[in-house]
Amino acid sequence: MKYRMLFTAVAAAGLLLGGSALAQDKKQLAFVVNASSDFWKLAEAGVKKAQGELGSYELQFRYPAQGTAAAQNALMDDLVTAGVDAIMISSADPKNSIDAFNRIAGQVPLFTTDSDAPESNRIAYLGSSNTDAGVQAGEEMVKAMAGKEGKCMGFVGFLGADNAKERIAGFKQAIEGKGIELVDVRGDDVDFTRARTNVDDVLVANPEINCMVGFYSYNPPKIYEALQAAGKLGQITVVAFDEDPVTLGAVKEGSFASTVVQQPFEWGYQGMKLMAKYLEGDKSGVPENKLIIVPTKVIEKGNVDAFEADLKAKIASAG
């Protein structure tokens, strides 16, 4: 009996060790964001859905300790040291991350999303065309101003990030010659308190401003808070980006003209599947220009309810 019990214990231990070994044998894919923001919850849901279809992989969704290039680069170094096999990242500061990105790309396949680093050795970018999204926002502003002259103020997180610069450039392109001027863009480095203060300051110091655009997901809610506190909701025309619940509520009630939304759920979902195929030797998903564009679309009062229903369905599909 003692021998039988001993054999059973050894066999059980073997099974446990075998299970652990199997877990360690799984290839690891990581999705690294640029800062902590509710915007990324949809991308995380997309990664979770992909995990349900990629049983032979372990997927990670990681936030850096701070919204800085240094914190992102340190996180990527840690991931590589821990054995991750491929990384997709939204760069907080592409221009100052080239060396770090190339170092990582020399060790594991590196992809970008949301904010590209085209001068690095990344394999491909999967995300929005930020220039096209900026053009859409500018067109929405022209439509909302309905022929009135406009002096707009923009608000964004990282002024130096490619996604910010491209959106701003696209917006300027669309409003050129339309009697609308983008007077300035205030950056906040993803400091939510500063994001709100930037709007408050403009309302006090720049009474000529009659239109605003929030270029990052959390900027429109901060615009809403500031306008509400100042009793100016509806008096200043606002075009937003992304699908924060406050933003969608403002569109629904008519306080915001519209919002240009991306598809971060698809970045997470498609991004993980793209990297898995790449590791398996299937590189057909990487086009010659290395750009995989997930279209943006305009959400206004007429389609906001349908859009919200679709968002809920996508999150539910992730389990």
Side-chain angles (χ1 to χ4, degrees):
M1 180 65 71
K2 288 181 180 179
Y3 288 112
R4 185 177 299 170
M5 290 175 64
L6 178 61
F7 176 80
T8 302
V10 171
L15 285 171
L16 288 171
L17 289 171
S20 176
L22 285 172
Q24 291 175 353
D25 286 343
K26 288 186 176 184
K27 290 188 180 297
Q28 300 179 53
L29 310 177
F31 192 110
V32 177
V33 305
N34 55 9
S36 179
S37 169
D38 286 347
F39 170 77
W40 290 112
K41 288 181 179 178
L42 278 168
E44 188 170 7
V47 170
K48 286 180 180 177
K49 182 181 179 183
Q51 180 68 85
E53 300 177 17
L54 297 172
S56 59
Y57 291 84
E58 179 186 334
L59 310 186
Q60 301 183 44
F61 193 91
R62 301 295 296 272
Y63 291 87
Q66 295 175 306
T68 64
Q72 280 190 311
N73 298 337
L75 175 54
M76 286 197 295
D77 284 333
D78 290 344
L79 287 167
V80 170
T81 300
V84 77
D85 295 282
I87 295 173
M88 179 167 281
I89 184 169
S90 170
S91 179
D93 187 358
K95 300 301 182 191
N96 294 313
S97 300
I98 302 302
D99 290 343
F101 276 33
N102 288 345
R103 183 180 70 251
I104 297 297
Q107 300 173 79
V108 300
L110 179 67
F111 296 76
T112 55
T113 187
D114 181 47
S115 180
D116 196 9
E119 296 176 15
S120 73
N121 294 332
R122 58 93 168 112
I123 291 165
Y125 166 80
L126 186 152
S128 305
S129 166
N130 288 293
T131 300
D132 289 350
V135 169
Q136 282 180 309
E139 291 172 344
E140 285 300 299
M141 186 62 77
V142 171
K143 184 169 70 174
M145 294 301 290
K148 293 185 298 183
E149 288 192 3
K151 293 211 174 276
C152 297
M153 186 66 72
F155 303 92
V156 76
F158 299 117
L159 283 165
D162 281 3
N163 62 351
K165 291 192 290 185
E166 289 167 5
R167 290 176 196 181
I168 293 165
F171 185 86
K172 287 181 176 179
Q173 176 186 326
I175 64 173
E176 186 175 0
K178 306 295 185 181
I180 300 171
E181 176 190 2
L182 184 61
V183 176
D184 196 8
V185 180
R186 305 289 171 87
D188 54 57
D189 295 323
V190 195
D191 179 330
F192 295 167
T193 300
R194 185 173 158 199
R196 166 63 190 273
T197 301
N198 281 347
V199 186
D200 290 333
D201 290 347
V202 166
L203 290 174
V204 173
N206 302 85
E208 75 280 8
I209 294 298
N210 62 351
C211 50
M212 293 181 173
V213 54
F215 287 103
Y216 273 15
S217 64
Y218 60 86
N219 291 123
K222 296 304 177 185
I223 292 173
Y224 186 90
E225 289 175 12
L227 292 180
Q228 186 177 50
K232 294 187 177 180
L233 275 176
Q235 297 177 28
I236 292 178
T237 302
V238 180
V239 170
F241 270 81
D242 301 317
E243 61 278 356
D244 187 278
V246 173
T247 299
L248 295 179
V251 170
K252 189 179 298 188
E253 71 185 26
S255 297
F256 286 3
S258 56
T259 185
V260 177
V261 300
Q262 305 177 87
Q263 299 192 62
F265 180 92
E266 296 299 332
W267 304 348
Y269 178 67
Q270 294 183 29
M272 295 298 100
K273 300 195 80 172
L274 173 69
M275 291 199 292
K277 285 184 178 179
Y278 191 91
L279 288 176
E280 292 162 8
D282 181 356
K283 301 180 182 179
S284 62
V286 178
E288 188 174 345
N289 67 0
K290 300 183 178 181
L291 300 175
I292 304 164
I293 301 303
V294 182
T296 54
K297 54 186 176 182
V298 173
I299 303 302
E300 52 194 1
K301 200 168 186 177
N303 64 354
V304 66
D305 288 334
F307 176 73
E308 284 185 310
D310 181 62
L311 283 185
K312 290 177 182 176
K314 284 180 175 177
I315 293 173
S317 73

